[in-house]
Structures are given as structure tokens and as C-alpha cells.
Amino acid sequence: MKAEYINPFLESARIVIEQVANIRPSTGQLGIKDVKFVEKYIWIQIGMTGQMQGDVVFGLHEDVALKMVSAMMGGFTITEMDDMSKSAISELGNMISGNASTMLFNQGVKVDITPPKLLHSANSAGFLPKKALTIPLIMDGIGELDIQVLMM
């Protein structure tokens, strides 16, 4: 697992979040940890194929997801993760990953991404704990978005 795999996702997330939510996130500490799906979290899983194989998983607490969707909707307060909210947060993961795959292509790494898969509970995820490169993005007034890269 190489640390440079996470850099395009980190840079892309900064750009996309600033564009769609008008928030400039700061970066937390890069580390390696076990990815475990827990309750009260929203998980956006994007598969990677091509020269990089694996998954990118974006994790955020339900409260953070609601605040992020509210910011994406121009400040309109969102109070539940309904179909529209789930679609918006899935699209956030899709935009970040699509932009990152373009950055990787420009670096000579050819990758394709799968459509986002929204996982809303640990039980329904069916995901076994795995080691991942992880880095949190801290968004003032909203919370943290964890970027977790699981590449083979």
C-alpha cells in the first residue's frame, strides 16, 4: 500500500467540498487503521479497477452527513437522510473519486471507478474489517469526513 495513492483523493476532496459546500477543509493525520463499519455512520464505497485495484471508502457520521447535504443545498436545513439526501452524499463521493481518477490518469495511472455504493449501517454493509490508508478531512462547523483507501 503506497501513501501516494491517497493524495489524489485528498486533493480532489478539498476541491470538490470547497466547490459544492463553500467550505475549505483542513487535513488531519495520515495513518493506517482497520476500517470497521459502525452504526450511525454513512459510508460511500467506490470501487477502483485498472492499474489500481481496490476501494475508496468515505465515512462520515450521520450528523456530519446531514450538515454536509445542507451545505450542498445552499444552507437549507436537512434533518433526515431521505432518498434525496442519500443521493446527494453519494454524488459527493462520486465527484471526489471521478476527479481523483482524472488526477491519477494525468500521472500515468489508468483507473476506472464504479458507481457509489451507499452503506448506512454496519450490519447491512457485509464488509469485513480491512487495513486502509486513512486521513480525515476536518470541515469547520460540519465535522470530519474520513477518506480510506484500500488498494491491493
Side-chain angles (χ1 to χ4, degrees), residues 32-109:
I32 296 177
K33 71 177 187 180
D34 287 329
V35 176
K36 296 178 186 170
F37 289 104
V38 295
E39 295 300 324
K40 302 259 186 219
Y41 260 69
I42 304 290
W43 306 94
I44 308 151
Q45 182 179 7
I46 309 274
M48 303 287 292
T49 60
Q51 288 179 281
M52 287 174 57
Q53 302 273 324
D55 293 299
V56 178
V57 180
F58 302 97
L60 58 170
H61 193 276
E62 285 178 9
D63 294 339
V64 175
L66 289 171
K67 289 177 186 174
M68 175 57 84
V69 172
S70 294
M72 291 171 71
M73 302 289 185
F76 180 79
T77 302
I78 305 297
T79 58
E80 68 173 307
M81 287 304 291
D82 58 13
D83 288 342
M84 180 66 82
S85 300
K86 289 176 184 177
S87 176
I89 208 72
S90 292
E91 185 56 25
L92 177 69
N94 196 43
M95 291 167 63
I96 292 169
S97 299
N99 196 26
S101 68
T102 300
M103 290 175 179
L104 287 163
F105 180 82
N106 290 336
Q107 295 172 8
V109 181

Side-chain angles (χ1 to χ4, degrees), residues 7 11 18 22 27 29 33 39 52 61 67 72 94 106-108 119-122 125 128 135-136 140 144-145:
N7 291 334
E11 183 60 26
E18 191 167 352
N22 201 28
T27 306
Q29 186 67 36
K33 71 177 187 180
E39 295 300 324
M52 287 174 57
H61 193 276
K67 289 177 186 174
M72 291 171 71
N94 196 43
N106 290 336
Q107 295 172 8
L119 309 169
H120 197 181
S121 93
L128 298 174
I135 191 161
D140 286 342
E144 288 187 11
L145 169 71

